[in-house]
Amino acid sequence: MMRVTKWKSGDTYGVRVGKKNRDKYFNNSDSVIKVKINDQFYDFDITSGFWNNCPEFREKIIHINVIRNWLEKNGDPQYFQLIPLNVQGTFELKQ
């Protein structure tokens, strides 16, 4: 389980996993990860910046505001959990 934080730039939200979690839980061959949010899976692109100085994944246009809505529903927590599931590259976001 990872302790993660909110990432925000303008109107775009994301999840900052941090470099230690990135190195421990993510595979650098994955270009997309699946994240379960409120019982539904969403795909998030892993950008080249993820492996440099930007260890976060961000909302995509096709499901814009899914992270923002989850944060608002859960009281905009400072920290929350990203739980690795049984398949590589799949996670669940929880408060």
Side-chain angles (χ1 to χ4, degrees):
M1 175 185 69
M2 292 171 263
R3 184 177 180 193
V4 297
T5 60
K6 171 178 69 176
W7 176 89
K8 184 178 184 298
S9 178
D11 289 334
T12 304
Y13 284 73
V15 174
R16 181 178 300 269
V17 300
K19 291 179 180 179
K20 288 182 182 180
N21 287 330
R22 176 198 64 196
D23 294 344
K24 183 174 181 180
Y25 294 104
F26 293 82
N27 186 327
N28 63 6
S29 65
D30 292 338
S31 60
V32 176
I33 60 168
K34 292 188 176 297
V35 179
K36 185 177 180 183
I37 301 172
N38 296 332
D39 297 321
Q40 183 173 345
F41 280 95
Y42 297 90
D43 290 343
F44 291 91
D45 292 332
I46 297 297
T47 65
S48 58
F50 183 83
W51 296 105
N52 295 310
N53 292 318
C54 302
E56 68 268 338
F57 57 89
R58 306 166 189 175
E59 295 178 322
K60 295 179 3 177
I61 296 300
I62 61 171
H63 54 262
I64 195 77
N65 294 330
V66 69
I67 293 174
R68 175 191 221 167
N69 293 340
W70 182 88
L71 287 166
E72 289 173 356
K73 179 182 173 190
N74 288 286
D76 199 12
Q78 182 175 0
Y79 297 100
F80 39 99
Q81 299 172 9
L82 188 65
I83 302 165
L85 301 178
N86 291 331
V87 176
Q88 174 66 35
T90 60
F91 304 89
E92 183 172 6
L93 188 64
K94 290 194 166 202
Q95 189 168 357

